[in-house]
């Protein structure tokens, strides 16, 4: 039974499905608490709409006389009245439009959070890919060094090379093994950082799929006009529109409010034998009422309108400031892309020439047993070039992810 359990566990681990970057991006949208919080804020803002278009609550007043009031028409016991206030024509529509525009600001903030989250996930994903490539290269380096050690040992046994050649290879083998161990130790903190972005447990493994792709030849042709697609800039546009709606709603505060009501007064019959009472003595009275508010203190209403206009100018200036900042970041990121591209091209050339030198020296060593130290040095240089290329490719992919972030191209 124990062997069966171990076998099933190994089979399950071996069949862990690898997931692509797009899979993890979708998972993050569903699980990230920051995104959920922004979406909840938007839903909460939408609840302002029915509040904004609702009429003010009606008022009801009731009064009772401790002793009936004697009136010609009878004795009044008390009164009850109801009043409904109505804002000026169009005021409710303006307030509802204001609430809708404020909700649109919250909706756009969801897009900003998604854009930032995708950028963070890509920045955490590519180092994991880089780690996989570096471990693979170092393992290949280890196999080459073990082959070199075996060749040097055979040469020594046949008296064609000194024993120090095998020792040199053995020293480098220990260095590479230590490097692989350090790379494997780096995997855990990278996975923890990645899992945190997905709001998952730290212990869950990250199934890596894919590789660092080759360079794109047309990336430098991207115009900085694409910055207009950045969702953070759209937030300022929504805020300006909301401030315009607030200005319109504030303008209706200058308008009067009209109230319509009804008052009911119950009466009882008077019984005065010596007086001639009217025939409708004791009949209840019903009195329609109307009221109007008079907004004569206009300075506070004018200040409210001016405040909204100033807010519009403020958001416009903030948008211009962010555009300048994004343009600077875009130019620097374009440089990072070009630098990584040229570095990869240089490393490709160096690797070709280094491999040619290794092939020539290996042929000479097979014949004469000389220059083994140079062979090792050139081999390690070749593997360093390969590792530097992986790092340059990672920087390239991260720079592309930043370009996507700056331009709002989240669907990558």
């Amino acid at each position: 039974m124990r062997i069966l359990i171990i076998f099933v566990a190994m089979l399950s681990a071996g069949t862990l499905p690898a997931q692509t970057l797009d899979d993890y991006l979708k998972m993050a949208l569903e699980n990230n608490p920051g995104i959920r919080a922004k979406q909840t804020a938007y839903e909460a803002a939408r609840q302002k709409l029915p509040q904004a278009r609702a009429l003010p609550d009606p008022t009801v007043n009731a009064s009772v006389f401790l002793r009936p009031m004697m009136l010609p028409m009878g004795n009044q016991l008390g009164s009850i009245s109801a009043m409904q206030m109505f804002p000026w024509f169009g005021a409710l529509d303006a307030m509802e439009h204001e609430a809708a525009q404020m909700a649109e600001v919250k909706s756009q903030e969801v897009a900003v959070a998604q854009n930032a989250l995708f950028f963070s996930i890509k920045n955490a994903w590519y180092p994991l890919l880089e780690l996989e490539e570096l471990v693979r290269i170092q393992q290949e380096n280890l196999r080459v060094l073990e082959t070199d050690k075996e060749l040097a040992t055979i040469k020594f046994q046949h008296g064609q090379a000194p024993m120090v050649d095998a020792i040199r290879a053995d020293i480098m083998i220990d260095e590479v093994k230590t490097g692989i161990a350090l790379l494997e130790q780096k995997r855990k903190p990278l996975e923890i950082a990645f899992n945190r972005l997905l709001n998952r447990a730290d212990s869950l493994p990250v199934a890596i799929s894919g590789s660092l792709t080759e360079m794109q030849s047309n990336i430098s042709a991207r115009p900085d006009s694409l910055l207009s697609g950045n969702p953070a800039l759209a937030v300022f546009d929504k805020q300006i529109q909301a401030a315009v709606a607030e200005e319109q709603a504030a303008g209706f505060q200058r308008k009067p409010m009209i109230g319509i009501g009804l008052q009911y007064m119950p009466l009882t019959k008077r019984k005065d034998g010596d007086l001639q009472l009217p025939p409708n003595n004791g009949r209840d009275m019903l009195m329609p009422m109307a009221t109007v508010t008079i907004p004569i203190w206009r300075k506070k209403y004018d200040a409210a309108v001016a405040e909204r206009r100033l807010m519009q100018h403020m958001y416009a200036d903030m948008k211009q400031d962010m555009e300048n900042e994004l343009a600077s970041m875009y130019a620097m990121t374009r440089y990072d892309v070009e630098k990584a591209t040229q570095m990869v091209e240089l490393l490709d050339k160096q690797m070709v020439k280094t491999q040619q030198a290794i092939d020539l020296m290996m042929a000479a060593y097979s014949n004469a047993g000389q220059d083994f130290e140079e062979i090792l040095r050139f081999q390690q240089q070749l593997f360093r070039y390969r590792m530097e290329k992986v790092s340059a490719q990672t920087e390239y992919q991260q720079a592309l992810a930043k370009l996507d972030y700056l331009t709002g191209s989240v669907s990558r």
Side-chain angles (χ1 to χ4, degrees), residues 102-121:
M102 295 301 296
E104 286 299 314
V105 173
K106 297 297 183 182
S107 175
Q108 190 61 37
E109 289 177 354
V110 175
V112 173
Q114 290 178 353
N115 192 39
L117 176 63
F118 282 9
F119 176 56
S120 299
I121 290 177

Side-chain angles (χ1 to χ4, degrees), residues 93-306:
D93 292 336
M95 289 187 289
E96 182 181 7
H97 181 61
E98 173 191 356
Q101 290 300 320
M102 295 301 296
E104 286 299 314
V105 173
K106 297 297 183 182
S107 175
Q108 190 61 37
E109 289 177 354
V110 175
V112 173
Q114 290 178 353
N115 192 39
L117 176 63
F118 282 9
F119 176 56
S120 299
I121 290 177
K122 290 179 180 180
N123 256 354
W125 170 261
Y126 290 118
L128 285 168
L129 281 181
E130 178 187 17
L131 181 64
E132 293 289 330
E133 291 290 333
L134 292 178
V135 169
R136 184 183 60 81
I137 291 173
Q138 285 290 62
Q139 289 174 345
E140 186 177 345
N141 187 12
L142 181 61
R143 289 192 294 270
V144 170
L145 286 172
E146 289 174 346
T147 302
D148 291 339
K149 178 182 176 182
E150 183 179 356
L151 177 61
T153 303
I154 294 174
K155 286 287 186 181
F156 169 73
Q157 292 173 350
H158 289 80
Q160 297 177 352
M163 184 60 186
V164 69
D165 289 348
I167 296 176
R168 288 193 182 100
D170 198 40
I171 292 173
M172 291 184 177
I173 287 174
D174 292 338
E175 292 178 357
V176 173
K177 287 181 178 179
T178 301
I180 293 175
L182 292 175
L183 288 174
E184 291 294 344
Q185 292 175 11
K186 187 179 179 181
R187 186 189 307 275
K188 189 60 179 177
L190 290 178
E191 289 184 346
I192 290 176
F194 191 79
N195 282 325
R196 286 288 177 170
L197 292 172
L198 302 178
N199 195 31
R200 304 195 310 174
D202 295 344
S203 58
L204 287 179
V206 179
I208 301 297
S209 175
S211 60
L212 297 169
T213 58
E214 296 297 328
M215 308 301 181
Q216 300 177 19
S217 58
N218 61 342
I219 190 63
S220 60
R222 284 191 182 186
D224 56 5
S225 59
L226 294 176
L227 290 175
S228 59
N230 189 291
L233 294 178
V235 169
F236 292 117
D237 292 332
K238 297 292 185 181
Q239 288 174 328
I240 292 173
Q241 295 171 9
V244 172
E246 287 178 330
E247 179 187 350
Q248 295 172 351
F252 280 96
Q253 295 178 4
R254 299 167 171 165
K255 307 293 184 180
M257 293 183 67
I258 301 173
I260 299 176
L262 196 65
Q263 186 176 18
Y264 169 72
M265 293 178 292
L267 302 176
T268 60
K269 290 185 177 182
R270 290 182 58 180
K271 297 178 181 180
D272 293 331
D274 297 335
L275 298 176
Q276 184 68 30
L277 298 176
N280 56 354
N281 174 35
R283 181 181 298 177
D284 296 342
M285 298 180 63
L286 194 65
M287 181 175 62
M289 297 185 301
T291 184
V292 177
T293 62
I294 305 176
I296 60 176
W297 314 113
R298 300 181 64 86
K299 287 186 177 180
K300 63 178 181 180
Y301 305 123
D302 294 341
V305 172

